[in-house]
Amino acid sequence: MANGNNLNGLQGIASVSDAGQAAYNEDTFYIGPDLAFVLDGATGLGEPLIAEEGSDACWFVSRLSDLLCNAWSTQLTLDDALSDALAKVSAEWRASVSPSLPGYQLPSAGMALVAQEGDELVLARLGDCELYVNDGVDTWRVFGDNALHRLDERALDRLKQLQRQGEPPEKALQAIKPMLMEHREQMNAAHGYSALSVVGLERIKPEVRRFKRSSIKRVLLTSDGFSAAWQAYGFDAPESWLMREDPAAQLAFVLQQLRACETLDADTVRFPRFKRHDDATAVIIDIVPVDET
């Protein structure tokens, strides 16, 4: 609703979303005329608690996506829309699940989002999703590493150490599960990291940057499963390809490279990681020029 003027808005020009090793995809995305986002769901480290099919993370990102779109249609700012959507999804969760669960059992999600508020673009991130922008000359990463990146790096270092010591990948992953549970307990805690979830709503604080709408030409939003192509496996980063003429073909090519690399390293020895294949999602948005007619 914040785009209540004569600006033409956002135009989705390419998207991919591919499930990893499960039968269901815990990522989701939305592209509208003045709001676009990627949500990267993370299931709690335990048995499903609310989902009849798929996972708790699937339920969470699906409901939050719907609620956020509905809230955006009536609220004046992104902060208000996000607060409204989180309050409603949290209430739905509490109506079905015990409120006394430990944090590691709760579903959560990262977010990469672009919204138009008047003549400004609001770019927001939670978790380890990624945003890149191009201003017509240069492409750059909008946000740097945050607290969640550092926690994941700590756990990954321990995983690599165990594998170097001769532990098979599956046993090494099982050995670091207590560390992963400890890290998940820091979600939306006083000195932890911020993520979309059903508890600790007052501590959910996205990283935000604002740009003049006219200064940005194109935006890339990704889940970390997609950005692993360049951040973990060393393929070309968006700085080299975001503005190419066929963005749909480019996203498909990056996804193909990503899956081929993961398949060749199915035992996760060359590239130690928490999953053989993570869900991978990316969308490219063009910022349509102001209608001068």
Side-chain angles (χ1 to χ4, degrees), residues 23-26 43 48 50-60 62:
Y24 42 82
N25 189 345
E26 293 179 339
T43 291
I50 197 170
E52 297 180 3
E53 298 180 4
S55 69
D56 290 342
C58 286
W59 172 87
F60 179 63
S62 175

Side-chain angles (χ1 to χ4, degrees), residues 234-245:
F235 295 114
D236 289 343
E239 288 88 344
S240 69
W241 52 255
L242 182 57
M243 297 305 288
R244 289 181 181 170
E245 290 186 359

Side-chain angles (χ1 to χ4, degrees), residues 76-121:
L76 293 177
T77 69
L78 175 62
D79 284 346
D80 290 341
L82 191 58
S83 295
D84 182 88
L86 284 167
K88 288 176 179 175
V89 75
S90 177
E92 291 182 15
W93 174 266
R94 293 195 309 271
S96 302
V97 179
S98 168
S100 60
L101 292 169
Y104 66 80
Q105 284 192 266
L106 302 175
S108 60
M111 177 185 76
L113 178 148
V114 57
Q116 185 173 300
E117 291 187 359
D119 63 353
E120 286 190 324
L121 288 180

Side-chain angles (χ1 to χ4, degrees), residues 95-235:
S96 302
V97 179
S98 168
S100 60
L101 292 169
Y104 66 80
Q105 284 192 266
L106 302 175
S108 60
M111 177 185 76
L113 178 148
V114 57
Q116 185 173 300
E117 291 187 359
D119 63 353
E120 286 190 324
L121 288 180
V122 183
L123 279 73
R125 179 178 77 167
L126 283 160
D128 51 11
C129 290
E130 292 291 348
L131 296 91
Y132 288 76
V133 297
N134 181 278
D135 61 4
V137 178
D138 296 314
T139 296
W140 71 92
R141 185 186 184 204
V142 177
F143 301 104
D145 289 353
N146 57 26
L148 180 57
H149 288 96
R150 292 187 284 275
L151 288 173
D152 283 348
E153 192 62 33
R154 177 186 166 206
L156 190 58
D157 285 346
R158 179 57 179 157
L159 183 68
K160 292 175 180 178
Q161 181 185 45
L162 290 170
Q163 290 189 211
R164 286 195 301 268
Q165 293 170 354
E167 285 284 0
E170 290 297 329
K171 287 189 176 181
L173 189 59
Q174 190 62 31
I176 69 164
K177 189 172 181 179
M179 178 185 286
L180 297 177
M181 294 167 68
E182 174 192 337
H183 290 176
R184 190 69 69 87
E185 288 283 359
Q186 296 185 45
M187 177 178 65
N188 299 332
H191 301 291
Y193 66 93
S194 192
L196 299 169
S197 190
V198 293
V199 298
L201 306 190
E202 70 282 357
R203 293 197 178 103
I204 298 177
K205 305 295 183 184
E207 301 169 81
V208 174
R209 288 194 66 183
R210 292 175 177 268
F211 297 90
K212 291 292 291 184
R213 182 186 180 280
S214 58
S215 71
I216 302 299
K217 307 304 181 185
R218 184 168 288 182
V219 180
L220 169 70
L221 314 173
T222 83
S223 64
D224 71 314
F226 190 87
S227 63
W230 58 92
Q231 292 179 331
Y233 306 136
F235 295 114

